[in-house]
Amino acid sequence: GFAKVDNHRNLRQGYPEVVFCQSKTVEQVVAICENIAQKGNNVLATRATPKMYEAVKGKLSKAKYNKMARVITIENEKVRVDKGYIAVVTGGTSDMAVAEEAAETAIALGNEVRTVYDAGVAGIHRLFANLETIQGARVVIAVAGMEGALASVVGGLVDKPVIAVPTSVGYGANFNGLSALLTMLNSCSSGVSVVNIDNGFGAGYLASMINRM
Amino acid sequence: GFAKVDNHRNLRQGYPEVVFCQSKTVEQVVAICENIAQKGNNVLATRATPKMYEAVKGKLSKAKYNKMARVITIENEKVRVDKGYIAVVTGGTSDMAVAEEAAETAIALGNEVRTVYDAGVAGIHRLFANLETIQGARVVIAVAGMEGALASVVGGLVDKPVIAVPTSVGYGANFNGLSALLTMLNSCSSGVSVVNIDNGFGAGYLASMINRM
Amino acid sequence: GFAKVDNHRNLRQGYPEVVFCQSKTVEQVVAICENIAQKGNNVLATRATPKMYEAVKGKLSKAKYNKMARVITIENEKVRVDKGYIAVVTGGTSDMAVAEEAAETAIALGNEVRTVYDAGVAGIHRLFANLETIQGARVVIAVAGMEGALASVVGGLVDKPVIAVPTSVGYGANFNGLSALLTMLNSCSSGVSVVNIDNGFGAGYLASMINRM
Amino acid sequence: GFAKVDNHRNLRQGYPEVVFCQSKTVEQVVAICENIAQKGNNVLATRATPKMYEAVKGKLSKAKYNKMARVITIENEKVRVDKGYIAVVTGGTSDMAVAEEAAETAIALGNEVRTVYDAGVAGIHRLFANLETIQGARVVIAVAGMEGALASVVGGLVDKPVIAVPTSVGYGANFNGLSALLTMLNSCSSGVSVVNIDNGFGAGYLASMINRM
Amino acid sequence: GFAKVDNHRNLRQGYPEVVFCQSKTVEQVVAICENIAQKGNNVLATRATPKMYEAVKGKLSKAKYNKMARVITIENEKVRVDKGYIAVVTGGTSDMAVAEEAAETAIALGNEVRTVYDAGVAGIHRLFANLETIQGARVVIAVAGMEGALASVVGGLVDKPVIAVPTSVGYGANFNGLSALLTMLNSCSSGVSVVNIDNGFGAGYLASMINRM
Amino acid sequence: GFAKVDNHRNLRQGYPEVVFCQSKTVEQVVAICENIAQKGNNVLATRATPKMYEAVKGKLSKAKYNKMARVITIENEKVRVDKGYIAVVTGGTSDMAVAEEAAETAIALGNEVRTVYDAGVAGIHRLFANLETIQGARVVIAVAGMEGALASVVGGLVDKPVIAVPTSVGYGANFNGLSALLTMLNSCSSGVSVVNIDNGFGAGYLASMINRM
Amino acid sequence: GFAKVDNHRNLRQGYPEVVFCQSKTVEQVVAICENIAQKGNNVLATRATPKMYEAVKGKLSKAKYNKMARVITIENEKVRVDKGYIAVVTGGTSDMAVAEEAAETAIALGNEVRTVYDAGVAGIHRLFANLETIQGARVVIAVAGMEGALASVVGGLVDKPVIAVPTSVGYGANFNGLSALLTMLNSCSSGVSVVNIDNGFGAGYLASMINRM
Amino acid sequence: GFAKVDNHRNLRQGYPEVVFCQSKTVEQVVAICENIAQKGNNVLATRATPKMYEAVKGKLSKAKYNKMARVITIENEKVRVDKGYIAVVTGGTSDMAVAEEAAETAIALGNEVRTVYDAGVAGIHRLFANLETIQGARVVIAVAGMEGALASVVGGLVDKPVIAVPTSVGYGANFNGLSALLTMLNSCSSGVSVVNIDNGFGAGYLASMINRM
Ligand SMILES: Nc1ncnc2c1ncn2[C@@H]1O[C@H](COP(=O)(O)O)[C@@H](O)[C@H]1O
Ligand SMILES: Nc1ncnc2c1ncn2[C@@H]1O[C@H](COP(=O)(O)O)[C@@H](O)[C@H]1O
Ligand SMILES: Nc1ncnc2c1ncn2[C@@H]1O[C@H](COP(=O)(O)O)[C@@H](O)[C@H]1O
Ligand SMILES: Nc1ncnc2c1ncn2[C@@H]1O[C@H](COP(=O)(O)O)[C@@H](O)[C@H]1O
Ligand SMILES: [Mg+2]
Ligand SMILES: [Mg+2]
Ligand SMILES: [Mg+2]
Ligand SMILES: [Mg+2]
Ligand SMILES: [Mg+2]
Ligand SMILES: [Mg+2]
Ligand SMILES: [Mg+2]
Ligand SMILES: [Mg+2]
């Protein structure tokens, strides 16, 4: 009885409850996952350690794990959005963990996802080599740390919503993601909005919500 | 020739060029507006002073002005989005200027807009009194200064995208909008994303983009 | 003789000395607790590690430990405040450690405490489901991290003092509690005041002081 | 119809609606005050300019103005709290405007108020000269800018709730009240809580709420 | 005698003394300019108001003024660097004042300068339309406010030193230039270094120093 | 040859070289100490770990270690300042490590030192109980974390120079010493100046310098 | 009766009360000055506007004004410290106002003062040209904005106490004095301590206190 | 296929791809290095742990490692810049790791490098003892933490470009390099520009780029 699992949310919001594993114990995570799965709902658990996955897997054998994304998923009923795809773009290779959290979330919510990784603006030819994929998407998630300039450049190239995810990747004057956060909030490209630093889940969830429209 | 007006954007992005009047001279604003209007495009100019409006009106008689929003519009061709409406909600009466910038932008881009002002969470019955309007929208713009809690509460009540606009309204530890900005970025409600402090235009533009989907 | 234990405070302020264990050694904590208990006073020690508890327990067998709250208590004389109860409300499950510190403090000082955990504003129906408990209290302690919006919503629903405790729970733009702190300081709800980030003790102590009036 | 005046609050919270005049026009302030006074409620309007007062006075002849506090009051029905007095203490003479806002608020809400101004800790004999007044209060409001040390010293001397109000008075490394705010939040004295920088109203309102208990 | 004019610097550093007019009186500026001109040296005065220019012009008739750049120059002896040109690129039209300060400085120091204004990354085709000019330069000065992404994109396109100048242009979360500053410091493009916010002079001076090599 | 040991400083400044051990290897510390001791100079090494002490002791048997202060000293020639004593006062017990660094430094430089620990302003009677010691000193070092109010109170009680040392002790809104630092810089008491957070050495050195006058 | 003038401080601290005019009215300043002068004490009033001076002069004809320093002084009894001189050094010409406040304060308190202005480290030969004056002083006040490096360089050149005064002079990343403040607090030169940004008075007062020893 | 190695950059920018090892796995680093070496290109890998070096060495026997710099280099073809040397100067011994990263980078890119370590401004005679080396360079890299004053002093002594590298070395109010960063950005010496905190690589790369001109 320690946490109020909200099984009504499935009806109210069109999506099942999502488990945020950070600062929970392995026992708590297992209990919450079982509770959700029991009702026949799909499970999506973010910020899950390998230990948590193993414990969940022990109880719920359909559990899958994306290690880089740190995401556990259990698919009890098929969800599909037939509306084109979501593109997830990153500036560098070290932004990939956050990008995978976004991608796994969007996939779990039934969306097709295409990824373009390590396409940062410091070598803009890498971005242009993937322009078709980016411009063909219905929603773009732009994930970048350090300078965070990716969101603006992408925002100027597409006429679809761009969800910017600043990452804490970097050192020095990035101040744990502050530099990318501020850059993205100040984007001069229209159609760009921002979620919390490292919040891949939030970006994937919102992208799915928009893609369903 | 001081600014490169981008008449192709109308084609490329589906929307005309928008004029950001802040830190431009009256002469610059008039010249840019004329340039756009000449091509038969609609004009949307934000952060415009009454002086700027009068000067534009002198040249382009169809110009209209929303004083609170500080927005000039010229409608040369009708644009209509037939997709339901966008709701604009504010926490207090002093957030209304930013909200109006958002609303005027969305209207200029062809959307129906419904507003719920002064419904901040400190007196949450005011929000519930307008729940139907808020839950009926396809996209919600939540505008709030000071504590900025509005975005989270609204985000928890709707299953549609919420665009949060922190405002610089307040004093003391709001540090010119920082408090509302951080609160909104940390929202635990899924489906919430954030634009720059006081960026009503950005919210209205993105809301329109999503509403068209 | 390293620390001046203030046994007069019991008389001067109506409460015994409280031990803040953080950055003290196990030896120091034991010595201070013994010194207080020797005078027949009650002991309240916060931020105590399990190691500290075991060492204290070895000397003072009446010692009790709330692990989540990290609080050691020894009751040598009964203290009771017969004035109704204090409500402790949290936004999420991860704010519970701070909430328990507040609750244990208030209980040690003789108050009745009722808790409502995981009732954050992102799912406001969880708050309303407990409205009676919250509105029936003489003082409310609102504990929340991330967006910290809980304090404002609660403040608008009750006409009793609300003590807001920001927590450092979260990531990214919460900047170790700064986001919740600023939100709470900017609360538009009257009757809300704020203590330091994670300062459950301070909130519990102040709530007790008010409840005694 | 621009602002939802909440006449029910008088019943729900035991206090009439309060008008926050900052960033409102003179016309708006007059309209809201008339609306409140019409129902026979008392009026309390903070951050009011002399111009606003004159305009209100023109319509509502019972209006009074405390210029230093920038507060307008209209007493339509007597409110009295018969519970002892609230002490308002300031560090310096330049904190007096904020202190007067607190005092006027508490008085309007029916409390007796005693003030001890310019008693900052840099000359602690000035504080001790008024110790009896401070220790005799049921609630103390400590108003200080710059170093903000007053709250801690007062908190250590009384066993009653201390509401700390940091002010933006000062220069340099006070960073518009940040130094006093942080100091007060870090107070080692138990029973101290903090409201927003310069928020005299909030302190007065909370003090009254506590004094009524 | 109030300021030590350093006429030896012409010899020691290869450049004449430069006058920084901000927070000097008109009288001080005139006196310093006269002192320099008297020795036959060239004069370069930055942050000069129109009033200062008029006063200097009254004494030294060869004085010229770039109003947008706020720069006064007096050319007493020809200085020419025969080494190709310096490109000055801006993100928006409102960055032009800072860009002109950089350009005027570099020109005064004998360099050829080519400018590409309003070519921000939000419409990256504007940058590519000027790629030849940018890639042909020996040094590039990239001036941008808000998101400041220009420096990284330019840095990735050229193999010459890029001097990034963040500007204070913008609002909200740009925090007076902080966003552009942090972005530029975090640039993933090699060959990029940064000067102070709005420091067009510093960029022009350094560009000239490098161009002379 | 990795570090330029400055044996002339003994002559130039009247004090021997001081070794700052933080971020040096054990080998480096030993080598520098030997180098200094060889010339017959006294050795003072701060931020030294027990490991470093053991290694130094192995080579230089006169070495002494104050574990709480983390200071190694070797006295090769007697230094005495016959001028009265320096008082070192702390707010809490957890500030003692920094205070001991200050005290050890001052003692090594030949001064008499008297300490008053755990006398913070939250229980001001503890300060007054030691008033004679504090007021009798020629220089006072005030060491405090959290609220940092100690420096102001002490500054108001003595007419001698007060050197304030903010410490990083605390949690939450102390932001690693920022709160105490800002408080101390804003002190309204005349005669107070501030050194870096946790810089006990700097305070002890300056106090000695002043005491010698 | 609005302010408690502390005529006893003359005895207790050896110095008369000092008037801080900022955020006081002209009437308040005049009243306080008269009150002090009446007792035969010397008057020192800082941050005084020309208007305040004229009003004081009207009542107290011995009043003198240093316009750059914004300091009013009235000498009723001679105070002289016969102990050598205090040196006041500035980095640039724009730091002179703060330096003059320090100098006037020290002079009013009876000290001999020698000034070395515009000797910043960017042209270190200017500092060396005045080395004798600087090294001959008993205390040095180093006043600098922007980079604030002056304090460290001076601190390394003298073996006397250096009081560092950061100024808010500059622009951009100086963030109103923050850059100079942090630099000075981090000084690696021993014997350097810091007062508040722009606090010339505090530096002059402390320098005098040390010079008297 | 996880990272797009950019072998064309060798042609486009005149330098081979550089590997940034931080937040990469040992396997990723080895794979990228092999990929680059296979094409006959030189390898430069920064922020490499000893473990990474051993793994690379296992596959590519020509690999060399500078442990302090944390840099791996493989020289497949000789690169030489015959243009004079680059000077790398540090303030303290603890800045040497960052300085070595800069030096190794510049050497790998074909430059001659001369180093002057531990020459901070607190003992300015150490800087002057090496003046000839510093003034003889074509580019100077100034590396300093804490107060960061070195860049300004060096900038004033040379008429060549100075690249300032703030380091995170220090404690307290250096706030992980912020103090040195701000100081360097505010440098009053012309010709100084700044790279990210601890970014030795960026400084070495830019210095090489300038030295080639
Ligand atoms: N990675 C994530 N970052 C932020 N919020 C998340 C994340 N994953 C899940 N959430 C949110 O956290 C809520 C669950 O929080 P809790 O009740 O603490 O498990 C979910 O409903 C989501 O809205
Ligand atoms: N000086 C003040 N500072 C902060 N909040 C205030 C102040 N005065 C009034 N308020 C609050 O602001 C509310 C009214 O806000 P509004 O609807 O914008 O007029 C009141 O109910 C009070 O809770
Ligand atoms: N605890 C300390 N904090 C700050 N500076 C110190 C400390 N101990 C010694 N120092 C200074 O550091 C200098 C030596 O630095 P280093 O050459 O790196 O050993 C000494 O001369 C002192 O000025
Ligand atoms: N120490 C360093 N600091 C910052 N950037 C670096 C460093 N070393 C290499 N880089 C840059 O990082 C790029 C490679 O990044 P990545 O693709 O993540 O390996 C290189 O081309 C360099 O521009
Ligand atoms: Mg776009
Ligand atoms: Mg929602
Ligand atoms: Mg309430
Ligand atoms: Mg108390
Ligand atoms: Mg490049
Ligand atoms: Mg004193
Ligand atoms: Mg010195
Ligand atoms: Mg130079």
Side-chain angles (χ1 to χ4, degrees), chain E residues 151-176:
Chain E
S152 287
V153 176
V154 167
L157 293 169
V158 305
D159 61 350
K160 289 292 181 307
V162 174
I163 303 168
V165 191
T167 72
S168 57
V169 167
Y171 64 91
N174 85 323
F175 296 123
N176 304 317

Side-chain angles (χ1 to χ4, degrees), chain B residues 92-94 118 126 146 171, chain C residues 188-190, chain D residues 9 17-21 24 32 46-47 101 198-202:
Chain B
T93 51
S94 24
D118 192 30
R126 296 177 300 178
M146 300 297 288
Y171 63 89
Chain C
C188 299
S189 296
S190 306
Chain D
R9 198 182 290 186
E17 172 79 1
V18 180
V19 189
F20 178 55
C21 301
K24 293 206 173 65
I32 300 175
T46 65
R47 307 284 162 104
E101 187 184 278
D198 291 336
N199 190 2
F201 162 73

Side-chain angles (χ1 to χ4, degrees), chain B residues 121-122 124 128 146-147 149 152-153 156-157 171 173-174 178-179 182-183 185-189, chain C residues 121-122 124 128 146-147 149 152-153 156-157 171 173-174 178-179 182-183 185-189:
Chain B
V121 301
I124 210 157
F128 284 109
M146 300 297 288
E147 76 228 304
S152 287
V153 175
L157 292 170
Y171 63 89
N174 86 323
L178 182 66
S179 63
L182 294 184
T183 299
L185 284 166
N186 280 284
S187 179
C188 297
S189 297
Chain C
V121 300
I124 209 157
F128 284 108
M146 300 297 288
E147 76 228 302
S152 287
V153 176
L157 293 170
Y171 63 90
N174 86 323
L178 182 66
S179 63
L182 294 185
T183 299
L185 284 167
N186 280 284
S187 179
C188 299
S189 296

Side-chain angles (χ1 to χ4, degrees), chain G residues 92-200:
Chain G
T93 52
S94 23
D95 303 314
M96 280 168 62
V98 175
E100 284 287 298
E101 187 183 278
E104 278 293 336
T105 299
I107 290 167
L109 299 173
N111 303 275
E112 183 188 345
V113 170
R114 300 197 191 160
T115 60
V116 178
Y117 289 166
D118 192 29
V121 300
I124 210 158
H125 60 287
R126 296 176 299 177
L127 196 67
F128 284 109
N130 292 281
L131 202 52
E132 221 168 319
T133 304
I134 297 171
Q135 287 185 330
R138 292 191 85 228
V139 190
V140 182
I141 296 173
V143 184
M146 300 299 287
E147 79 230 297
L150 183 73
S152 286
V153 176
V154 166
L157 293 170
V158 305
D159 61 351
K160 288 292 181 308
V162 174
I163 304 168
V165 191
T167 72
S168 58
V169 168
Y171 63 90
N174 85 324
F175 296 122
N176 304 317
L178 182 66
S179 62
L181 171 64
L182 294 184
T183 300
M184 287 167 164
L185 284 167
N186 280 285
S187 178
C188 298
S189 297
S190 305
V192 177
S193 64
V194 186
V195 295
N196 196 4
I197 297 164
D198 291 336
N199 190 3

Side-chain angles (χ1 to χ4, degrees), chain A residues 151-163:
Chain A
S152 287
V153 176
V154 167
L157 292 170
V158 305
D159 59 352
K160 289 292 180 308
V162 174
I163 304 168

